[in-house]
Amino acid sequence: MTEHIRYLVGIDGGGTSCRARLCDTQGKVLAEAKTGSANILLGADVAMKSILDAIATAASLAGLSERNYGEMSVGLALAGAEQRTAWYDFMAQPHPFARLTLNTDGYGACLGAWKGRDGAIFIAGTGSVGLLRQGKQISVVGGREFPISDQGSGAVMGLRLIQQVLLSVDGIMPQTELARLVLAHFDHDVDAIVEWSKTALPCDYGQFSPEIFRLAEANDSLAVALLQQTAADIEMWLNALIARGADQICLMGGIAERIAPWLTPAIQRRLAPPQGDAMDGAILIAQGDHNLYPR
């Protein structure tokens, strides 16, 4: 660690939020904060603003200010960082920190889940990605962003929900309580749904996930079908990780934390509780040589 670095900052940034954890060099947590999206595919400048805002809030809570930024090593675990062009665009931006290290949110989550040791994780939140770390070898499945990938995520589940709701409007599918709830959200205006869809982000689709889980418990047929499909998608990714050598896999993210009962017993036996989160991993990124691409 560079001598003048006195603080470590871990950033976990996805399509929905950007979380910051500020620590001293011994790993003692001084403050945490949360701001908006930090998916770098939505714009390097947008992600940097969210990161700077989160760090500023955390610093203030810890009694620090911008004068201390030059003493901070920042580890970034960001959605979209696997895209080489986006990675270099982001890292080309000026910043006030002593050190800035960027890898993916999946890599950060894997580091945190296994406390820096080898292991496998599957993240199912707004987006989805699976990762197996075996020394320097990293195997990744999925994670190619919504809507072409991210099966098993809140965004894809929300997209399927909207599709089924529109089919119910046409009388093709039954209109369940979940469908009626979504229609009410848009004031029963199909044109409003169409206009919304033209600019809707993954987090906009993912916003319906809590209601899907809630109504599945009430045996709403549409909610149950959506969770069954999401569970099947997640099992597809988990089996791909197992085929690559994973033994135990940590499920992480808002969808993953609630989907386990919907998985088959054989897959449930492969699950392991994470020992830390993506911000723990981001702090480890801040401490080591973890840039995804060479600078």
Side-chain angles (χ1 to χ4, degrees):
M1 189 66 64
T2 306
E3 287 184 8
H4 66 281
I5 291 176
R6 298 179 57 198
Y7 305 101
L8 305 172
V9 181
I11 299 289
D12 171 33
T16 303
S17 65
C18 171
R19 299 185 299 157
R21 178 176 294 166
L22 173 61
C23 302
D24 62 20
T25 54
Q26 304 305 309
K28 178 184 177 182
V29 177
L30 304 178
E32 294 187 356
K34 182 178 178 179
T35 54
S37 172
N39 183 328
I40 64 175
L41 293 183
L42 300 179
D45 54 341
V46 173
M48 182 64 85
K49 183 181 185 304
S50 291
I51 290 161
L52 291 172
D53 287 348
I55 292 175
T57 301
S60 177
L61 291 171
L64 304 176
S65 70
E66 292 184 12
R67 293 190 300 273
N68 301 104
Y69 284 4
E71 301 172 312
M72 295 180 182
S73 176
V74 180
L76 304 171
L78 303 184
E82 67 278 359
Q83 298 294 324
R84 184 184 293 266
T85 301
W87 189 95
Y88 279 107
D89 286 345
F90 182 89
M91 294 297 279
Q93 296 179 100
H95 66 82
F97 307 108
R99 189 168 177 235
L100 198 67
T101 306
L102 173 59
N103 211 302
T104 67
D105 53 344
Y107 184 84
C110 195
L111 281 181
W114 295 98
K115 288 192 175 294
R117 298 188 299 274
D118 288 355
I121 58 118
F122 185 77
I123 302 173
T126 304
S128 69
V129 66
L131 189 145
L132 169 63
R133 184 169 179 257
Q134 299 167 304
K136 293 291 186 180
Q137 182 178 347
I138 307 296
S139 299
V140 178
V141 296
R144 296 180 180 90
E145 299 295 326
F146 178 86
I148 62 169
S149 184
D150 284 3
Q151 295 94 330
S153 72
V156 168
M157 188 162 63
L159 172 60
R160 288 176 177 151
L161 169 60
I162 296 297
Q163 292 170 338
Q164 294 299 306
V165 167
L166 294 177
L167 289 174
S168 78
V169 170
D170 291 336
I172 297 170
M173 300 295 294
Q175 199 161 96
T176 69
E177 182 181 349
L178 176 58
R180 291 190 291 271
L181 183 149
V182 173
L183 286 169
H185 178 83
F186 292 100
D187 295 323
H188 299 274
D189 185 345
V190 172
D191 288 341
I193 297 176
V194 175
E195 286 302 312
W196 169 86
S197 72
K198 292 176 181 178
T199 57
L201 299 174
C203 59
D204 297 319
Y205 285 100
Q207 69 177 305
F208 300 107
S209 298
E211 292 299 332
I212 295 172
F213 277 101
R214 181 181 70 82
L215 288 171
E217 293 177 1
N219 209 31
D220 180 282
S221 60
L222 176 55
V224 168
L226 289 167
L227 286 186
Q228 288 173 336
Q229 181 61 65
T230 298
D233 288 343
I234 289 173
E235 290 210 12
M236 171 187 71
W237 296 125
L238 298 184
N239 281 319
L241 290 169
I242 292 167
R244 286 162 171 77
D247 180 23
Q248 297 287 290
I249 304 169
C250 297
L251 285 185
M252 307 178 77
I255 301 298
E257 290 166 4
R258 303 183 66 181
I259 203 70
W262 295 81
L263 303 176
T264 61
I267 286 293
Q268 288 185 36
R269 288 192 289 270
R270 291 279 194 166
L271 303 182
Q275 299 167 41
D277 62 14
M279 285 206 290
D280 293 316
I283 292 293
L284 290 171
I285 290 174
Q287 292 176 290
D289 179 19
H290 292 286
N291 269 321
L292 180 57
Y293 297 112
R295 297 199 65 185

